[in-house]
């Protein structure tokens, strides 16, 4: 078995991504690389690009699963690109590819990925206080089934530390 | 052009579906049929089955888009079954098949369908006070893009009347 | 159980569709309608449009499962449109939605749908002598597993008669 | 831009895979690794496993895009696993992820992947004389559009040399 842990980072695309989001995402990417895990993302801009950039600068390995059918739409920090040609439906593939998920802000797309991850019982942590559509569910459950709690954390370092604990548990 | 309006009804599967949900869903199906629209659903139990049942009893036409790869998993009130073999990823196809969406309670799957519908700017109405995972977003927007507001309503009749208005507008 | 038989018609899109293909496809649609079955197609031009047209003129019911994410791309003879937003990957959904498949000419897309149908053991008939990419496999098996034989026929009437027999068997 | 060439290897799953297929697939994996390309496969047995094994032994990098929704179904030589939960529909994602495709025998699934690759104009080479369902199309075109010719070759070394030429051209 050669497969490393695969950690999915989700959050705002270019639209809605502030320098604060980018900084945290970059640091999360860096920590993921240092933990010798593979970073999975949606392969586009904003949090996806910043986290891939951080992983790349720390000699990590990154995969971008993109909506388009052509790899050239991915950001430049993806080592491997999976062009799905499925539009936003690819959000579900992101969730399925994750051993654990880190949420950095984000709107409706991020919330849909969190739902998909929840349905498939993937461990999730979320950075608090970033104005995310996931906020109503941080430190709680998305529904009555109580599949998995989304754990709120404050920093990039905490996020990666916590998700590694949850994956290992 | 022969195509009729396609109205998607989403909400709890068998798990979490109360008699109250079922009654409302049945009535929504009935109203959809009377409006000469096609009812689209996820084709399984709970709200999906009750709404299809209601449409069927009112001589309507129903389509079930199901996660499995075999039509036999659909409830008995689906006139046409689309077995996707894609698991819960089929939630996105439901959203894409809708001219408008009616939400009756529901958990993480329903919330993910609401997100997909929001991203594709589909008109949405939701029955209020049913303990839905969509509740934090009723009469508001899922994110900062303000694509489409989820309109809260109280009854099955109101739900169908409102969604028809929104589709026509 | 209200569901009718669902018969998928596949073949050339506008590109490569001759008047001969169109005539046969139209007649197949007509026969499907007369047999009280639902016609499923890929919802675009050529054989898809002609067969839907034929079914429509004979008061049948038609479903178009299209690659785009917007129903307006379907031909005007689809009663229900399922916009998948998945590009040509929707070929697999067509196959899964079929109780039986009728092949009218066609190139690489049609061959891929035949392969998907074969893998899911759907009964198939093909009109002979239309220069189809499926030709090497007519009256034979696509591979060593011998899942299902593609039965060659000469006319629209024969095609529908045969597929109904195979579905019932 | 950090992305390396992504070469897809397709062919028989365990069922139908002979030692001859395995040997060639293993050698192809090895050559792909030596060319510093990423090997993409369907992540299961037979040709998929043998080629990933070969790449792995030559210190290459491998990705498995699998039908199931759980990474544990992949063979042990996949560095990254993309569990699609889409069943055989994942064949299209394999094709989209390829800069070029190498065909080693194979039945209906392989033929469907070849069709998908053809529709998306991906360069393809095929090992000759392995009893593949793709055989009728080797050194020819799958349909009248003449998108891309499937080039027949005799050895693993030739296959990788040729696909690299075609990708670069």
């Amino acid at each position: 078995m050669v497969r490393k842990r695969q950690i999915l980072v989700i959050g705002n695309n270019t639209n809605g991504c502030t320098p604060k989001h980018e900084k945290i995402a970059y640091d999360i990417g860096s920590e993921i690389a240092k933990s010798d895990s593979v970073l999975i993302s949606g392969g586009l801009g904003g949090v996806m690009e910043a986290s891939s950039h951080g992983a790349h600068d720390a000699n990590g390995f990154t995969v971008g699963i993109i909506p388009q059918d052509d790899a050239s739409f991915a950001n430049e920090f993806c080592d491997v690109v999976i062009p799905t040609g499925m539009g936003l439906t690819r959000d579900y593939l992101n969730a399925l590819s994750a051993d654990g998920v880190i949420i950095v802000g984000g709107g409706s797309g991020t919330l849909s990925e969190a739902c998909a991850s929840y349905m498939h019982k993937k461990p999730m942590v979320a950075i608090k206080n970033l104005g995310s559509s996931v906020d109503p569910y941080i430190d709680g459950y998305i529904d009555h089934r109580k599949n998995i709690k989304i754990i709120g954390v404050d920093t990039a370092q905490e996020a990666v530390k916590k998700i590694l604990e949850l994956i290992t548990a």
Side-chain angles (χ1 to χ4, degrees), chain A:
Chain A
M1 175 61 183
V2 298
R3 193 169 80 78
K4 297 178 177 176
R5 280 162 310 207
Q6 299 182 182
I7 300 179
L8 173 67
V9 181
I10 60 178
N12 298 84
N13 198 345
T14 316
N15 176 330
C17 188
T18 68
K20 186 178 174 187
H21 288 80
E22 280 181 19
K23 173 71 171 73
I24 293 173
Y26 181 94
D27 289 348
I28 287 171
S30 178
E31 294 293 321
I32 288 173
K34 287 182 212 160
S35 79
D36 200 29
S37 307
V38 169
L39 183 148
I40 311 273
S41 82
L44 301 181
V47 161
M48 299 173 267
E49 181 163 356
S51 60
S52 301
H53 191 169
H56 185 246
D57 285 353
N59 299 309
F61 195 89
T62 61
V63 177
I65 304 176
I66 64 173
Q68 295 89 351
D69 63 5
D70 183 323
S72 66
F73 288 90
N75 71 59
E76 60 180 312
F77 303 108
C78 296
D79 290 300
V80 162
V81 177
I82 310 293
T84 65
M86 294 170 64
L88 298 170
T89 307
R90 75 78 160 80
D91 288 356
Y92 268 80
L93 300 192
N94 290 350
L96 287 169
S97 298
D99 294 311
V101 183
I102 299 176
I103 303 169
V104 184
S108 52
T110 302
L111 180 55
S112 111
E113 286 169 303
C115 288
S117 301
Y118 177 89
M119 288 188 270
H120 290 286
K121 301 186 182 173
K122 305 292 187 174
M124 282 187 269
V125 305
I127 303 289
K128 291 188 283 193
N129 304 313
L130 285 179
S132 168
S133 295
V134 179
D135 281 354
Y137 301 107
I138 293 181
D139 287 322
Y141 298 100
I142 294 182
D143 69 20
H144 64 285
R145 279 169 288 203
K146 301 193 176 184
N147 278 358
I148 200 107
K149 189 180 274 192
I150 302 175
I151 308 293
V153 295
D154 290 304
T155 66
Q157 289 70 21
E158 254 189 280
V160 177
K161 185 163 176 287
K162 189 69 191 168
I163 203 68
L164 291 173
E165 275 174 35
L166 292 168
I167 292 170
T168 310

